[in-house]
C-alpha cells in the first residue's frame, strides 16, 4: 500500500516514546523488533511532557516536515501528563502529527488472541476479528469553535463538527479498499463494511456520511455495505461481536468505540493502531494512553505496543518478522507469560523479554 517504500534498504523509524507508560512499553517493542531480526534503524526523539516542561517545546521547528522527509515510519508511545493540565503538548504532538501530516486513516484492528482474555462468555478468538477505520483529520477534533464570556454566568462554548466531502469520501473508500485487500486471521476473506454514525440526530453531518457511503459502496459490488447507529453498535459489540468485519466511522465515535473494542481483546494493553496516509510516512501507536496511575512501576502491558510494532513492519512491507512477533505474542498469551492485567505475573520488562526471546527463534 506504500509504493515509495523500498523493501531492500534498512527502514528508518522515528521513535517517540512520549509520556508515562509510553516510556516503558516502547523500549519493549523496539527490543522485540530487533530480536526478530528486522532490518530497521531507530532514531529516538524526546518530544513529550518532560521536554515541554523543560524548554517549552512541543514540536521543534520543522518537526513534522523532518519526520515526513527523513523517516519511513514513526512509532509513538503515548502523551499525557498530570503536570500539563492543558494537555497542550499532546494536542500539538499527537493530533499535530495526525492533522498536519494528513494521516487520515486511523486503523485499529480488534483481535482476540485467546478466549481467556475476553470478558464476554462463550466467545472464541475467531469471533472477535474486526477492524475499526476511524477518520483521523476532521470531525469534532479540528478545534473549530470557541468560548465566549468565559467565567461568567453567560459563558458559551461551541465545538464544531467539521465533515468535508473529500474527508468522508477518502476514509469510506479506504475502508472498502481495506476490506478488499485484507483477510481475516483464519485466512477467510473480509466482505462487509459497516458505516457507523448518528444520522438520526446529527442530520447535517450524518446526511453527508450517508450520501457518500451510498455512492462509494455502489463501486464495490462484491462488498456488503451495512449501517448502524453508534449507540446500537455499542450494544451489539458486547452482545455479539461476531457480526463485525470492517467498521468505518468519524473521529469521535472511532475514539470511543475502540476503547470498548479494546476491552474485547483483553483491555487497553492489547490494542494496536496505525495512523496512515497511503504513500506517506505514517505513524503507529498503541491505542492506550500514558496511564499515569500505573506509570514508572514496571506494570504496564507491553503487548499492545509490540503488536503495534508488528503492524508498522507489515505496513513497511516486512512479512516474516511481523509473523514471528505475532506468533511470539500469541505464545506469551497462551502460556500466561504476561503482565497482571491479562492474568500473568510478569512485569513490563520481563514480559517484553519473554516475547523477544520467543521472536528470536
Ligand atoms: P489510558 O489509556 O492512559 O489508561 C486508562 C487505564 O487503562 C489505565 O489507568 C490502566 O488501568 C489501563 N491501561 C492502559 N494501558 C495499559 C497497559 N498498557 N497495560 C495495562 N493497563 C493499561 O487512558 P486515560 O487514563 O483516560 O488517559 C491518561 C492520559 O493519557 C491522559 O492524559 C490522556 O489524554 C492520555 N491519552 C493519550 C493517548 C495517546 O497518546 N494516544 C491515548 C489515550 C489517552
Ligand atoms: C486516542 C486518544 C486521543 C484521541 C487523545 C489522547 C487525544 O484517546 O488516540 O485514542 O482522542 O484520539
Ligand atoms: Mn482514545
Amino acid at each position: 500500500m506504500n509504493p515509495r517504500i523500498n523493501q531492500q534498504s534498512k527502514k528508518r523509524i522515528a521513535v517517540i516514546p512520549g509520556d508515562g507508560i509510553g516510556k516503558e512499553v516502547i523500549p519493549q517493542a523496539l527490543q522485540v523488533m530487533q530480536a526478530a531480526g528486522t532490518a530497521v534503524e531507530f532514531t529516538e526523539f524526546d518530544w513529550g511532557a518532560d521536554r515541554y516542561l523543560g524548554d517549552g517545546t512541543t514540536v521543534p521547528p520543522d518537526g513534522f516536515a523532518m519526520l515526513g522527509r527523513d523517516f519511513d515510519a514513526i512509532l509513538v508511545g503515548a502523551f499525557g501528563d498530570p503536570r500539563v493540565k492543558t494537555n497542550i503538548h499532546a494536542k500539538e504532538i499527537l493530533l499535530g502529527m495526525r492533522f498536519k501530516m494528513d494521516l487520515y486513516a486511523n486503523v485499529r484492528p480488534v483481535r482476540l488472541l485467546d478466549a481467556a482474555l475476553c470478558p464476554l462468555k462463550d466467545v472464541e478468538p475467531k469471533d472477535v476479528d474486526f477492524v475499526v477505520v476511524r477518520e483521523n483529520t476532521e470531525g469534532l477534533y479540528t478545534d473549530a469553535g470557541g468560548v465566549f464570556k468565559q467565567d461568567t454566568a453567560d459563558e458559551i462554548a461551541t465545538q464544531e463538527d467539521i465533515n468535508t466531502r473529500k474527508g468522508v469520501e477518502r476514509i469510506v473508500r479506504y475502508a472498502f479498499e481495506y476490506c478488499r485487500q485484507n483477510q481475516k486471521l483464519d485466512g477467510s476473506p473480509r466482505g462487509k463494511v459497516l458505516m457507523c454514525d448518528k444520522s438520526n440526530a446529527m442530520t447535517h453531518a450524518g446526511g453527508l456520511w450517508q450520501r457518500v457511503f451510498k455512492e462509494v459502496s455502489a463501486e464495490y459490488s462484491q462488498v456488503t455495505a451495512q449501517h448502524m447507529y453508534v449507540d446500537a453498535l455499542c450494544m451489539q459489540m458486547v452482545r455479539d461481536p461476531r457480526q463485525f468485519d470492517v467498521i468505518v466511522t468519524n473521529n469521535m465515535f472511532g475514539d470511543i468505540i475502540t476503547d470498548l473494542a479494546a476491552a474485547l481483546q483483553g483491555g487497553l494493553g492489547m490494542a494496536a493502531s496505525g495512523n496512515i496516509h497511503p504513500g506517506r510516512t505514517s505513524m503507529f501507536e498503541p491505542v492506550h494512553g500514558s496511564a499515569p496511575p500505573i506509570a514508572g512501576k514496571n506494570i504496564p502491558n507491553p503487548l499492545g505496543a509490540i503488536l503495534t510494532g508488528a503492524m508498522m513492519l507489515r505496513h513497511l512491507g516486512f512479512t516474516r518478522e511481523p509473523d514471528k512477533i505475532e506468533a511470539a505474542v500469541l505464545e506469551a498469551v497462551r502460556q500466561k507469560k504476561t503482565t497482571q492485567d491479562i492474568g500473568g505475573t510478569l512485569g513490563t520488562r520481563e514480559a517484553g523479554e519473554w516475547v523477544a526471546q520467543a521472536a528470536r527463534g
Side-chain angles (χ1 to χ4, degrees), residues 173 176-177 179-180 190-193 213-226:
R173 199 172 289 285
F176 276 94
E177 284 299 321
C179 187
R180 226 165 47 86
R190 293 202 176 273
K192 296 188 287 189
V193 176
F213 186 67
K214 201 168 163 198
E215 284 167 25
V216 175
S217 63
E219 296 172 29
Y220 293 85
S221 53
Q222 70 284 24
V223 177
T224 305
Q226 302 174 322

Side-chain angles (χ1 to χ4, degrees), residues 49-300:
D50 285 340
R51 175 160 178 182
Y52 172 66
L53 291 167
D55 68 6
T57 311
T58 55
V59 179
D62 201 37
F64 296 132
M66 175 273 298
L67 290 176
R69 190 185 55 232
D70 298 344
F71 294 95
D72 296 305
I74 309 160
L75 182 68
V76 160
F79 299 97
D81 187 300
R83 295 169 300 169
V84 186
K85 300 273 179 261
T86 57
N87 209 29
I88 179 77
H89 70 298
K91 214 163 150 182
E92 292 192 3
I93 301 169
L94 183 70
L95 298 184
M97 272 187 275
R98 292 179 185 169
F99 281 71
K100 297 199 170 134
M101 300 179 79
D102 202 31
L103 305 176
Y104 67 86
N106 190 187
V107 179
R108 298 188 155 183
V110 183
R111 288 170 174 172
L112 176 63
L113 298 184
D114 191 283
L117 299 189
C118 189
L120 306 181
K121 59 177 186 301
D122 303 329
V123 168
E124 299 173 55
K126 68 170 173 45
D127 298 333
V128 181
D129 182 4
F130 62 94
V131 61
V132 177
V133 176
R134 168 191 181 190
E135 202 295 319
N136 215 25
T137 55
E138 43 187 62
L140 277 162
Y141 276 65
T142 65
D143 224 12
V147 180
F148 309 97
K149 303 182 186 174
Q150 190 170 340
D151 297 327
T152 73
D154 298 323
E155 183 162 349
I156 299 167
T158 64
Q159 197 86 46
E160 297 287 332
D161 185 9
I162 308 294
N163 296 265
T164 68
R165 177 169 275 273
K166 173 188 159 190
V168 177
E169 189 176 330
R170 68 182 180 175
I171 197 65
V172 168
R173 199 172 289 285
Y174 189 97
F176 276 94
E177 284 299 321
Y178 186 98
C179 187
R180 226 165 47 86
Q181 294 172 23
N182 289 275
Q183 296 180 329
K184 296 192 174 198
L185 275 183
D186 66 7
S188 64
R190 293 202 176 273
K192 296 188 287 189
V193 176
L194 182 147
M195 194 270 279
C196 156
D197 67 11
K198 188 66 189 172
S199 54
N200 50 351
M202 280 124 87
T203 53
H204 308 308
L208 175 61
W209 277 80
Q210 289 280 345
R211 288 191 303 280
V212 169
F213 186 67
K214 201 168 163 198
E215 284 167 25
V216 175
S217 63
E219 296 172 29
Y220 293 85
S221 53
Q222 70 284 24
V223 177
T224 305
Q226 302 174 322
H227 170 263
M228 213 177 266
Y229 297 123
V230 64
D231 46 355
L233 179 132
C234 289
M235 184 269 291
Q236 291 295 344
M237 207 180 266
V238 292
R239 205 190 63 81
D240 181 17
R242 293 169 193 86
Q243 64 191 290
F244 298 110
D245 191 344
V246 178
I247 297 172
V248 61
T249 192
N250 68 21
N251 210 336
M252 176 93 264
F253 297 154
D255 178 47
I256 297 169
I257 67 172
T258 52
D259 263 33
L260 178 59
L264 300 178
Q265 305 171 75
L268 276 164
M270 296 300 293
S273 87
N275 299 258
I276 297 169
H277 185 130
R280 294 198 195 168
T281 301
S282 295
M283 183 266 279
F284 296 79
E285 51 167 350
V287 173
H288 66 72
S290 56
I294 58 166
K297 299 175 186 159
N298 199 34
I299 292 174

